[in-house]
Amino acid sequence: MSDRHRISLADALVMVQRARKSPPTMVNGWSIDGSIIREILAQPGAASLRAYLASTDQGVATLVFLAVDTDGRDMADGVIADYTLPCPPWCDPESPFIKP
């Protein structure tokens, strides 16, 4: 299931640079499958998770996730993930974070 979230380093860099060059359309939040987060954190040397603001081909804000080692360095040669589900449309309508 986590394979659908995997992206290459090259794709991740393009997405992050795209967001820095042209501000993406912001969303309320994102959802990502827990299995890819567990896979990222299970890598040898992974101490934490970092997320970078990125932008899809359609200009919608997304996040790129990767592991960080104990020295605070990005593990860019490891598993990198995206393909988050933006809210909207994938929202919890009962969430206190969505209700006005």
Side-chain angles (χ1 to χ4, degrees):
M1 186 170 200
S2 62
D3 284 347
R4 70 185 176 111
H5 293 287
R6 284 177 177 258
I7 59 172
S8 68
L9 174 60
D11 287 344
L13 291 172
V14 166
M15 294 171 71
V16 169
Q17 290 302 319
R18 186 184 302 132
R20 292 178 181 168
K21 289 179 183 173
S22 178
T25 301
M26 293 306 293
V27 296
N28 293 328
W30 298 271
S31 178
I32 189 165
D33 192 273
S35 63
I36 190 68
I37 299 303
R38 287 187 291 275
E39 184 178 342
I40 290 171
L41 291 174
Q43 296 174 100
S48 62
L49 184 73
R50 181 166 286 137
Y52 284 99
L53 181 64
S55 182
T56 67
D57 290 341
Q58 296 79 32
V60 176
T62 189
L63 297 172
V64 168
F65 297 92
L66 67 157
V68 177
D69 68 18
T70 56
D71 294 322
R73 294 191 177 104
D74 288 347
M75 295 175 56
D77 58 344
V79 176
I80 301 174
D82 174 51
Y83 301 112
T84 57
L85 300 174
C87 169
W90 290 278
C91 300
D92 170 6
E94 300 302 315
S95 172
F97 294 99
I98 302 302
K99 293 180 178 183

